[in-house]
Amino acid sequence: MQSYTEENYLKTIYHLAEKTINVQTNAIAEQMQTKPASVTDMIKKLADKGLIDYIKYQGVTLTETGKNTAIDIVRKHRLWEVFLVDKLNFKWDEVHDVAEELEHIKSIELIERLDEFLGFPKADPHGDPIPDKNGRFAKTQFIKLIELKVGDSGTITGVSQHSSAFLKHLEKLGLTLGKQIQVSDVTDFDGSVEIQVSDKQVNISREVAKHILISSNGKN
Amino acid sequence: MQSYTEENYLKTIYHLAEKTINVQTNAIAEQMQTKPASVTDMIKKLADKGLIDYIKYQGVTLTETGKNTAIDIVRKHRLWEVFLVDKLNFKWDEVHDVAEELEHIKSIELIERLDEFLGFPKADPHGDPIPDKNGRFAKTQFIKLIELKVGDSGTITGVSQHSSAFLKHLEKLGLTLGKQIQVSDVTDFDGSVEIQVSDKQVNISREVAKHILISSNGKN
DNA sequence: AATAATTTTTAGATTTACCTAAAAATAAAA
DNA sequence: TTTTATTTTTAGGTAAATCTAAAAATTATT
C-alpha cells in the first residue's frame, strides 16, 4: 500500500518516462513543485519498496510493479474526469484538480463499478486513453496538428496540454474533441496555422498547433 | 482549510456531541482509534484555530465555525453514500468506508453538482438526513422500534447502527428502508420483538430492535 | 585535461500526527 | 474526608515528508 505522496511520485515518474528513459531528480522536483533534496529522499524510499530502479546520480525507471501502480492511478484519474464531465457537467478545463484528489481513493470495487457506470469509456475528456482494469490500453496513433501539411485533414482526438487557459482557448475557437479539421494554410512568418473547422476558418498559433492531436484521415 | 485528520476529529466530535454536551477526550480517542494523549494534542490545535471551545479537563464543544465544518463533512459523506448506492449499485452495508474517504474531497462545486445529479436527496441509504448546502436539515422524528407497543405500526426510516454485520442481518430479514412494519408481540423472556413485514412474521432481538428507527403512523 | 557549470546527494532541521510513560487533576468510594 | 480509581495532560520521542545549505558527483566548456 502506497501513501498519497508516494502515489503522486509514481504517477509523475510514469508521465516523465513517456519522454525520457531515465527520469531525473530535477525533472521530478519541478513537476512535483518540490525541491530536489526532497525527491532524493523519496526515490530512495520508492527504490527500497521495489517500485523503481535507482542508481545514484543516474535517475530512475519504474519497475514492473511501480509501472502497474502508476497506470492504476492514471486509470482512476481519467475515469473520474469522464464522470465529472459526462455526469456532473463539468467543462474539460475544470476537471483536472478534482480528479487529482479523487484518483487516490483506494477501493478497487469503486473503480470497477464507476467504469461500468460510465460505459467503459476508452478515453478521457482530453482524449487520453483510459487503461482497462488489467492496465492495458491502446497506444493511440496521434499526429500533432503542427505536423500536418496544407490540405491534410483529420479529427481532433486529443490535446497534449491540460492547462485551463489552453483548453478554454480551444473551446472558444470551437476546437473540441471529435471536430473534423483541414489545414488550409501555414503562415511562413510566424508558423501559425489556418484551419477549416465546422465551415469556419480559424487561425491558431504554432504553440497551440503543437498541442492539438489529430487522428489523421490520410492526406489528399 | 483543515487537514484530513482535523476534519475527522471535527466529525467525530460532532457525532459525539449528539449524545453528550461536553465531549470528553477518552470518548474521542476511542472513536478515532487513537490514544488520549494524541487527542489532547489535536484538541489544543483545533481550539487554537477557533473550531472548538476547550477547557482543560472539561472536554470540548464545537464553535459555530467548527460545527459548520463538521456538518459540511457529514453532508459530503451522506451524498457520496447515496451516489454509491443509487448510481453504482453498492449495498447499504458496503458504502461507509469508501464514503469515509470521499468526504474529504475539497471542491465545493463538486458537491453541489453531485447533489443536483442525485436529485437533492433528503436522506442517505441508512435514513440519516442530508444537510443542504447551508447546513440545514430537518430534525427527523424517529422512534426506536424497541419503544413501540404491541399493535403499533410504522415505517422503517433509519438505523442507528451502521456496521456491515448489522445491516446485512436486516437485509436478510427483509427489514430495509421504507418497509411498513407492525409489532405483533413482545417476548417477556428476552425482550425480543415479533413483527409483521411484507406479510411475513419475523422475530428480532432486543438489540436489533434498539437500532431500527421508525417513523410512526400513530397507534391503533 | 583542467576548470566551470549543473545536477544530485548528504547533513541537519522542521512540522504533523502519532506514541509511551509518568504526572496532575478530577471523580468515586470507603 | 481521605484514599482509590479514573480521566486527562505533560514531557519527551518517533516516522513521514518536507526544507535549506553545503558537499559530492556528473556533465559541459574552454
Side-chain angles (χ1 to χ4, degrees):
Chain A
M1 193 86 290
Q2 282 77 42
S3 74
Y4 188 103
T5 313
E6 285 167 10
E7 287 190 353
N8 280 334
Y9 270 90
L10 289 174
K11 189 184 55 164
T12 297
I13 294 165
Y14 175 78
H15 287 308
L16 290 170
E18 289 172 334
K19 293 178 177 173
T20 49
I21 316 101
N22 268 51
V23 180
Q24 277 146 307
T25 304
N26 273 1
I28 300 170
E30 192 191 15
Q31 196 67 30
M32 299 274 306
Q33 309 248 58
T34 186
K35 304 287 142 146
S38 310
V39 174
T40 302
D41 285 348
M42 181 54 85
I43 62 186
K44 275 183 193 164
K45 191 176 163 189
L46 293 173
D48 286 347
K49 289 193 172 188
L51 296 161
I52 57 176
D53 290 317
Y54 166 48
I55 304 160
K56 265 188 195 174
Y57 295 98
Q58 300 310 132
V60 302
T61 53
L62 291 169
T63 61
E64 201 58 26
T65 317
K67 193 177 172 186
N68 290 339
T69 308
I71 288 174
D72 191 50
I73 301 158
V74 168
R75 167 170 157 81
K76 292 186 209 166
H77 183 99
R78 292 179 181 168
L79 282 173
W80 280 116
E81 285 199 346
V82 173
F83 170 71
L84 294 172
V85 168
D86 286 9
K87 303 296 180 181
L88 300 193
N89 299 116
F90 278 88
K91 304 234 189 71
W92 70 341
D93 59 288
E94 299 172 328
V95 296
H96 190 266
D97 292 354
V98 181
E100 208 70 352
E101 287 189 64
L102 285 163
E103 72 190 8
H104 299 289
I105 306 291
K106 287 188 279 287
S107 166
I108 293 165
E109 192 68 20
L110 173 66
I111 293 306
E112 296 206 1
R113 284 172 189 248
L114 181 67
D115 195 13
E116 186 182 355
F117 179 60
L118 299 171
F120 303 104
K122 294 278 170 290
D124 77 11
H126 313 104
D128 295 309
I130 299 176
D132 69 18
K133 66 174 166 177
N134 303 308
R136 280 185 275 271
F137 55 97
K139 274 277 183 308
T140 34
Q141 276 320 96
F142 288 141
I143 303 167
K144 292 177 189 164
L145 201 157
I146 194 78
E147 290 164 3
L148 296 185
K149 303 274 169 276
V150 173
D152 289 353
S153 65
T155 310
I156 302 180
T157 32
V159 292
S160 58
Q161 236 276 4
H162 293 184
S163 78
S164 183
F166 176 68
L167 296 172
K168 277 204 176 100
H169 180 56
L170 290 193
E171 184 100 40
K172 206 163 62 189
L173 296 171
L175 302 173
T176 50
L177 292 205
K179 282 284 171 66
Q180 190 69 22
I181 62 110
Q182 183 170 35
V183 177
S184 44
D185 195 21
V186 178
T187 311
D188 285 341
F189 174 62
D190 60 357
S192 69
V193 183
E194 183 89 3
I195 58 178
Q196 175 101 26
V197 195
S198 325
D199 296 328
K200 276 190 308 189
Q201 286 288 119
V202 295
N203 188 274
I204 56 175
S205 73
R206 214 183 132 70
E207 196 53 31
V208 166
K210 270 197 240 170
H211 294 295
I212 298 176
L213 304 174
I214 301 296
S215 73
S216 176
N217 310 358
K219 317 203 169 198
N220 59 353
Chain B
M1 193 84 288
Q2 283 77 43
S3 74
Y4 188 104
T5 311
E6 286 167 11
E7 287 190 351
N8 279 333
Y9 270 90
L10 290 174
K11 191 184 55 164
T12 296
I13 294 166
Y14 175 78
H15 286 310
L16 290 170
E18 289 172 335
K19 293 180 180 171
T20 48
I21 316 101
N22 269 51
V23 180
Q24 278 147 304
T25 304
N26 273 0
I28 300 170
E30 193 191 13
Q31 197 67 29
M32 300 276 305
Q33 308 250 58
T34 185
K35 302 290 141 140
S38 309
V39 174
T40 302
D41 284 349
M42 181 54 84
I43 62 185
K44 276 183 192 163
K45 190 175 165 191
L46 293 173
D48 286 348
K49 290 194 172 188
L51 296 162
I52 57 176
D53 290 317
Y54 166 49
I55 305 161
K56 266 188 195 170
Y57 295 99
Q58 300 308 130
V60 301
T61 53
L62 291 170
T63 62
E64 202 57 27
T65 318
K67 193 177 171 184
N68 289 339
T69 308
I71 288 174
D72 192 50
I73 300 158
V74 168
R75 169 169 156 80
K76 292 186 209 164
H77 182 100
R78 293 180 182 167
L79 281 172
W80 280 116
E81 285 198 346
V82 173
F83 170 72
L84 295 172
V85 169
D86 285 9
K87 303 295 180 182
L88 300 194
N89 299 116
F90 278 88
K91 303 233 189 73
W92 68 343
D93 61 287
E94 298 171 328
V95 295
H96 190 269
D97 292 354
V98 181
E100 207 72 350
E101 287 189 66
L102 286 164
E103 72 189 7
H104 299 290
I105 306 292
K106 285 188 279 288
S107 168
I108 292 165
E109 192 67 21
L110 172 65
I111 293 305
E112 297 206 0
R113 284 172 190 249
L114 181 65
D115 195 12
E116 187 183 353
F117 179 61
L118 300 172
F120 303 105
K122 294 278 169 292
D124 78 9
H126 313 103
D128 295 309
I130 299 176
D132 69 18
K133 65 173 164 178
N134 304 307
R136 279 186 276 272
F137 55 95
K139 275 277 182 307
T140 35
Q141 275 321 95
F142 287 143
I143 303 167
K144 294 177 186 162
L145 201 157
I146 194 77
E147 290 163 4
L148 296 184
K149 304 274 170 278
V150 173
D152 289 353
S153 65
T155 309
I156 301 178
T157 33
V159 291
S160 58
Q161 238 276 7
H162 293 183
S163 77
S164 183
F166 176 68
L167 297 172
K168 277 205 176 101
H169 181 56
L170 291 193
E171 185 99 39
K172 206 164 61 189
L173 296 172
L175 302 173
T176 50
L177 292 203
K179 282 284 170 68
Q180 190 70 22
I181 63 108
Q182 183 170 34
V183 175
S184 43
D185 195 22
V186 178
T187 310
D188 284 340
F189 174 63
D190 61 357
S192 69
V193 184
E194 182 88 5
I195 58 178
Q196 175 101 26
V197 196
S198 325
D199 297 328
K200 275 190 308 188
Q201 286 287 119
V202 294
N203 188 275
I204 56 175
S205 73
R206 215 182 133 68
E207 197 52 32
V208 166
K210 271 198 240 170
H211 294 296
I212 298 177
L213 304 174
I214 302 297
S215 72
S216 176
N217 309 0
K219 316 201 167 198
N220 61 351

